[in-house]
Amino acid sequence: FGNHLSALMDTLRNFYTQPVDVVRIPNKLYIATWRNVLGRLQKDMHDMPRLTAEGGSLPGEGTNLYFHLAQWFAKTVPDFTVCEIGLNTGNSAAIWLTAGVKKLVIFDDGKHMIARKAVGVLREFFPDIPIELHWGNSRDTVPNNAGKYAGQCNVLNIDGGHFGLIPSRDFINMQPLASPNNHVVLLDDTFCGDPWCREPTKVVCDGVCTHQWFVLHSLTTHNATGGHTIGVFQSHGDGNLELK
């Protein structure tokens, strides 16, 4: 998997040098399917109050990155499992499901009806893919289910609370869920100039200094109001890989 990660890093380097534009994704059928799902999500939610969207939910905010990562995993680890904190409008979840993820595990506080409606739409479009929902505070639901999902998650997408101790607790609590041999961590809203990026960025830096993870790449997007950092947890052995 170390060689695969090296190849991923090369792909990401090339990707980050180009404008974020969904039409660049080579798999047109993949894009068409996702847009069909997204169109339904938007149609069902048109009468709901406008919410601040996270986790790639805004057009262009990380969407291209999620597409590349999902397709890369679909080819490298065909039966991959995604575990993510933060469902919001279901955009990123739709991308994982369109890629043919084996199982999608979601931790969301469930405070917004927009997230609960998204679940129904996703299950309607992807009835054969298990979507396991855990509603409630991620600081409780993730550790409470650590035994159930220990070592199962290939993609760990962390996009929950952005203030106080929430980002650091989510980061720490997700570590036991990571697959020991093939996983990637995606941390949302890092290295931007806005308040919501401050604590997630601190998590990135503290994680490196304490040898909790190895950072593969970081990207600032959306006119410097958002960003993403990709890495692997060193506690699972991946930190010793020679990544060039």
Side-chain angles (χ1 to χ4, degrees):
F1 193 68
N3 292 332
H4 289 307
L5 285 178
S6 296
L8 173 62
M9 289 181 69
D10 291 337
T11 299
L12 292 175
R13 288 192 187 100
N14 294 331
F15 160 65
Y16 286 140
T17 61
Q18 303 178 41
V20 176
D21 180 3
V22 174
V23 298
R24 283 199 303 102
I25 305 297
N27 192 329
K28 299 300 182 182
L29 177 61
Y30 186 89
I31 288 293
T33 303
W34 173 75
R35 282 179 172 163
N36 189 25
V37 179
L38 188 64
R40 174 62 186 280
L41 287 170
Q42 293 174 338
K43 180 178 182 298
D44 281 12
M45 299 172 187
H46 76 281
D47 59 341
M48 304 191 70
R50 179 63 179 169
L51 301 176
T52 300
E54 299 172 349
S57 297
L58 285 171
E61 188 203 352
T63 300
N64 221 21
L65 171 61
Y66 282 92
F67 270 122
H68 276 282
L69 193 59
Q71 290 192 85
W72 181 84
F73 252 97
K75 295 177 181 178
T76 307
V77 186
D79 293 326
F80 71 108
T81 294
V82 174
C83 301
E84 65 178 11
I85 298 177
L87 173 62
N88 211 345
T89 61
N91 186 4
S92 60
I95 292 176
W96 307 126
L97 292 165
T98 306
V101 63
K102 177 182 178 181
K103 178 169 65 177
L104 177 62
V105 180
I106 300 173
F107 301 93
D108 191 273
D109 60 18
K111 293 181 179 179
H112 301 298
M113 185 57 67
I114 195 169
R116 295 182 180 272
K117 290 196 72 173
V119 173
V121 174
L122 295 174
R123 283 179 167 159
E124 178 183 336
F125 271 87
F126 305 98
D128 298 326
I129 300 178
I131 302 175
E132 301 183 7
L133 269 295
H134 299 278
W135 301 113
N137 192 318
S138 61
R139 286 171 289 177
D140 298 321
T141 56
V142 175
N144 288 345
N145 289 279
K148 180 178 180 179
Y149 299 114
Q152 294 186 27
C153 305
N154 303 111
V155 177
L156 300 100
N157 184 28
I158 304 175
D159 187 18
H162 290 66
F163 298 96
L165 296 176
I166 298 177
S168 63
R169 296 314 306 170
D170 284 344
F171 181 79
I172 292 171
N173 290 336
M174 288 288 270
Q175 293 187 27
L177 280 62
S179 171
N181 299 314
N182 47 14
H183 77 267
V184 168
V185 185
L186 182 60
L187 192 60
D188 190 64
D189 284 324
T190 60
F191 297 104
C192 82
D194 289 287
W196 53 80
C197 287
R198 189 171 300 130
E199 292 304 320
T201 300
K202 186 176 184 297
V203 169
V204 173
C205 299
D206 289 348
V208 171
C209 292
T210 56
H211 306 289
Q212 293 183 67
W213 77 326
F214 182 97
V215 172
L216 298 174
H217 223 301
S218 291
L219 167 70
T220 299
T221 61
H222 238 55
N223 297 321
T225 60
H228 301 83
T229 297
I230 299 177
V232 293
F233 288 129
Q234 292 204 47
S235 60
H236 288 72
D238 292 331
N240 295 321
L241 297 173
E242 293 185 4
L243 304 176
K244 300 180 180 179

